[in-house]
């Protein structure tokens, strides 16, 4: 308690909730962020200052003594000025996964949510159900949970509750999932993203083996394989299609902003369930959340009732607004599985999709080049249009041999409309030229907080145009 913590990248989606959790436990927080230095998302840093966080330029000036604990991302590099300063003054250096796993593992009861897709939403659903059930959970999520966001907490990706019950989204992309020892380990799915399948199998296998109970998706080949390996009395399964699963969903009925379905639980009568977030993938997320809270003894009637009030996550199929018949949607989708879930959900309803996809890095683009092409080509309709700027790049050494044009070219070769432009601004201008009533403009991407501002600006530009331009 009462330690001085310095967070390098304090405004990041992973760092900000952890910083707030550490502050709530009586510690002093300061930090730096490259986005702050570049003038991006100023409202976030104003909020941090207003909540007692001292901010510095990311030049090492905020790290001054050996009593500080400097928290960095998983990749600690001496080239980052704050890390260099920490080594010079003898400050303790922790990675974000080290610090989060320490807090997580110290809780008597914990739920770790892992998987290639769906982690943030499942974590948010679990948090809301446990909160509604009066369990007072502490939660660290990777996205803003709308149920807990208000004027004073617009960046509600953390929930400060009892230290005895801790819920966290855990990450496999940097291997840090190996640090977490969960009471309940949830794995939504496993597919190619940041690491090879062999590495992923080892990481997820270890995560579930260490847990008291594993919640696993039978609809995914890799997670279903884990269910075969673990002792039956430590596994709870869920599925959208397999009636042998412990929890399954049937009679799915899409609604414009949600889903209805019949919930089947082994040994219990079926229940009607309603979600106010759209898509079959969110029904699967709901099954995972229900299985996790069931393992903690929450009654299913109470849990299903709470789920109806789940408001969703920021940047998860979030409707920014509609102007002149054009709807703008902001979405975090950035890997083939997430993109597929988004496109399938939106194609349940009429309307052309104008898709802006900003890749979250040159590395992932090269690793998943074929999967991106196959995904877009296979799921886009003939009148849909894909527009891509170059990937997110904040400097450093990375292989830039595969760019957005490589993806666009592959999608065009498969008979779909796609183009890559040098800048996101140029992509925005192209989208505005094309948008007409009935279209949905979909902004997709990760690792860039300004995408939400970009989506809002697109909507404002559409709203400002004379109605005659939309015909």
């Amino acid at each position: 308690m009462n330690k001085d913590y310095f967070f390098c990248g304090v405004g990041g989606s992973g760092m900000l909730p952890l910083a707030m959790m550490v502050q709530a436990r009586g510690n002093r927080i300061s930090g730096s962020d490259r986005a702050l230095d570049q003038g991006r998302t100023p409202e976030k840093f104003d909020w941090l200052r207003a909540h007692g966080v001292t901010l510095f330029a990311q030049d090492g000036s905020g790290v001054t003594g050996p009593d500080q604990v400097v928290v960095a991302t998983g990749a600690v590099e001496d080239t980052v000025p704050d890390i260099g300063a920490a080594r010079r003054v003898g400050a303790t250096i922790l990675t974000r996964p080290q610090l989060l796993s320490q807090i997580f593992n110290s809780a008597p009861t914990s739920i770790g949510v892992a998987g290639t897709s769906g982690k943030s939403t499942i974590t948010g659903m679990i948090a809301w159900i446990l909160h509604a059930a009066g369990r007072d959970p502490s939660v660290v999520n990777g996205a803003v949970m709308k149920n807990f966001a208000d004027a004073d907490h617009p960046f509600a990706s953390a929930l400060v509750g009892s230290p005895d019950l801790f819920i966290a989204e855990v990450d496999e992309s940097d291997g840090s999932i190996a640090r977490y020892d969960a009471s309940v380990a949830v794995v939504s799915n496993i597919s190619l993203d940041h690491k090879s399948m062999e590495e992923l199998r080892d990481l997820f296998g270890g995560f579930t083996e260490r847990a008291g109970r594993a919640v696993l998706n039978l609809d995914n080949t890799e997670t279903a394989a884990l269910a075969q390996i673990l002792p039956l009395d430590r596994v709870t399964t869920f599925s959208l299609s397999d009636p042998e699963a412990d929890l399954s969903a049937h009679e799915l009925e899409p609604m414009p902003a949600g889903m209805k379905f019949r919930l089947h639980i082994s040994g219990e009568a079926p229940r009607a369930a309603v979600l106010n977030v759209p898509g079959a993938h969110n029904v699967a997320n709901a099954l995972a959340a229900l299985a996790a809270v069931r393992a903690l003894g929450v009654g299913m009637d109470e849990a299903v009732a709470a789920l109806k009030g789940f408001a969703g996550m920021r940047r998860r199929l979030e409707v920014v607004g509609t102007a002149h018949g054009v709807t703008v949607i902001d979405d975090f989708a950035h890997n083939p599985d997430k993109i597929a879930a988004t496109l399938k959900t939106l194609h349940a309803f009429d309307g052309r999709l104008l898709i802006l996809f900003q890749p979250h890095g040159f590395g992932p683009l090269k690793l998943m080049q074929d999967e991106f092409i196959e995904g877009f080509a296979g799921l886009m309709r003939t009148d849909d249009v894909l527009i891509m700027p170059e990937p997110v790049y904040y400097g450093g050494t990375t292989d830039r041999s595969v760019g957005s044009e490589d993806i666009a070219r592959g999608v065009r070769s498969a008979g779909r409309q796609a183009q890559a432009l040098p800048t996101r601004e140029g992509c925005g201008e192209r989208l505005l030229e094309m948008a007409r009533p009935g279209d949905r403009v979909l902004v997709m991407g990760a690792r860039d907080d300004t995408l939400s501002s970009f989506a809002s600006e697109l909507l404002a530009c559409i709203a400002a145009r004379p109605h005659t331009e939309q015909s």
Side-chain angles (χ1 to χ4, degrees):
M1 291 296 183
N2 295 314
K3 290 183 179 179
D4 286 311
Y5 282 83
F6 184 95
F7 284 78
C8 182
V10 69
S13 60
M15 284 294 201
L16 190 151
L18 182 57
M20 294 299 97
M21 188 67 65
V22 171
Q23 184 190 58
R25 296 185 174 209
N27 301 291
R28 292 176 293 274
I29 305 297
S30 59
S32 66
D33 200 290
R34 182 164 44 194
L36 173 67
D37 296 350
Q38 296 171 349
R40 294 185 282 124
T41 59
E43 66 283 352
K44 178 182 293 186
F45 298 107
D46 289 342
W47 184 86
L48 283 167
R49 291 188 189 95
H51 285 76
V53 177
T54 305
L55 297 177
F56 294 87
Q58 199 169 85
D59 58 7
S61 60
V63 182
T64 57
D67 294 334
Q68 286 177 290
V69 179
V70 176
V71 185
T73 59
V76 177
E77 298 180 3
D78 289 348
T79 54
V80 177
D82 295 331
I83 300 303
R87 297 206 191 282
R88 286 193 299 274
V89 301
T92 300
I93 299 174
L94 290 177
T95 64
R96 178 188 180 273
Q98 285 175 326
L99 179 56
L100 177 56
S101 61
Q102 286 175 10
I103 299 172
F104 181 92
N105 292 338
S106 68
T109 304
S110 58
I111 300 177
V113 183
T116 308
S117 304
K119 294 188 290 290
S120 296
T121 298
I122 295 169
T123 302
M125 288 177 168
I126 293 170
W128 179 241
I129 295 170
L130 292 175
H131 174 79
R135 296 295 186 94
D136 191 29
S138 287
V139 184
V140 170
N141 205 339
V144 172
M145 299 174 283
K146 291 185 180 180
N147 285 99
F148 303 109
D150 55 31
D152 193 47
H153 299 91
F155 308 105
S157 46
L159 180 64
V160 178
S162 168
D164 295 333
L165 175 57
F166 202 94
I167 322 301
E169 173 183 337
V170 301
D171 192 9
E172 82 286 350
S173 66
D174 58 3
S176 62
I177 189 175
R179 295 183 173 277
Y180 296 87
D181 302 323
S183 305
V184 180
V186 179
V187 183
S188 59
N189 45 60
I190 305 171
S191 61
L192 190 66
D193 195 344
H194 296 274
K195 293 184 177 295
S196 70
M197 290 307 302
E198 291 75 14
E199 291 175 292
L200 291 172
R201 289 178 187 125
D202 287 343
L203 289 168
F204 284 107
F207 176 60
T208 52
E209 286 171 6
R210 294 190 303 275
R213 174 160 294 275
V215 173
L216 300 171
N217 180 9
L218 292 186
D219 296 337
N220 178 263
T221 303
E222 295 291 339
T223 48
L226 288 178
Q228 296 297 317
I229 296 170
L230 295 166
L232 285 176
D233 61 351
R234 290 177 46 217
V235 174
T236 300
T237 57
F238 66 93
S239 171
L240 292 179
S241 57
D242 190 340
E244 298 301 313
D246 296 309
L247 288 85
S248 57
H250 305 266
E251 302 171 35
L252 274 65
E253 181 183 337
M255 301 183 295
M259 297 289 291
K260 293 180 180 178
F261 63 98
R262 297 286 291 175
L263 172 65
H264 289 220
I265 301 177
S266 296
E268 301 184 18
R271 295 173 173 83
V274 176
L275 279 179
N276 283 305
V277 289
H281 66 292
N282 274 322
V283 176
N285 292 338
L287 294 177
L290 290 169
V293 300
R294 188 170 182 250
L296 300 188
V298 176
M300 287 295 93
D301 288 335
E302 183 178 23
V304 169
L307 263 183
K308 188 176 181 180
F310 176 67
M313 309 295 293
R314 191 72 45 78
R315 293 211 70 228
R316 269 56 175 185
L317 275 172
E318 183 174 18
V319 175
V320 182
T322 300
H324 297 307
V326 179
T327 299
V328 178
I329 299 165
D330 188 20
D331 192 61
F332 185 73
H334 60 279
N335 65 37
D337 277 359
K338 290 183 171 73
I339 291 167
T342 293
L343 296 183
K344 288 175 183 177
T345 298
L346 293 177
H347 277 151
F349 300 94
D350 293 335
R352 180 175 68 157
L353 296 182
L354 303 179
I355 306 162
L356 179 131
F357 172 51
Q358 178 177 285
H360 63 298
F362 283 95
L365 198 62
K366 182 177 182 180
L367 178 67
M368 297 178 282
Q369 178 179 358
D370 293 341
E371 289 80 5
F372 279 127
I373 293 170
E374 291 168 8
F376 281 116
L379 290 169
M380 288 172 61
R381 293 176 176 167
T382 54
D383 59 345
D384 292 341
V385 182
L386 172 65
I387 307 289
M388 294 178 62
E390 283 301 290
V392 172
Y393 179 64
Y394 294 127
T397 56
T398 187
D399 182 351
R400 303 176 67 179
S401 59
V402 175
S404 292
E405 173 56 26
D406 295 288
I407 307 303
R409 185 187 307 113
V411 175
R412 288 196 300 272
S413 297
R416 293 295 182 261
Q417 300 181 64
Q419 56 186 284
L421 300 175
T423 67
R424 194 171 73 189
E425 291 72 22
C427 292
E429 291 170 3
R430 183 75 184 101
L431 290 168
L432 291 172
E433 290 171 4
M434 290 188 292
R436 61 176 186 258
D439 288 343
R440 278 97 38 96
V441 176
L442 175 62
V443 176
M444 290 195 299
R447 287 188 60 202
D448 185 350
D449 289 344
T450 66
L451 281 168
S452 293
S453 300
F454 176 78
S456 296
E457 289 163 6
L458 283 178
L459 180 67
C461 289
I462 294 168
R465 295 192 304 192
H467 186 65
T468 53
E469 290 187 30
Q470 309 301 312
S471 58

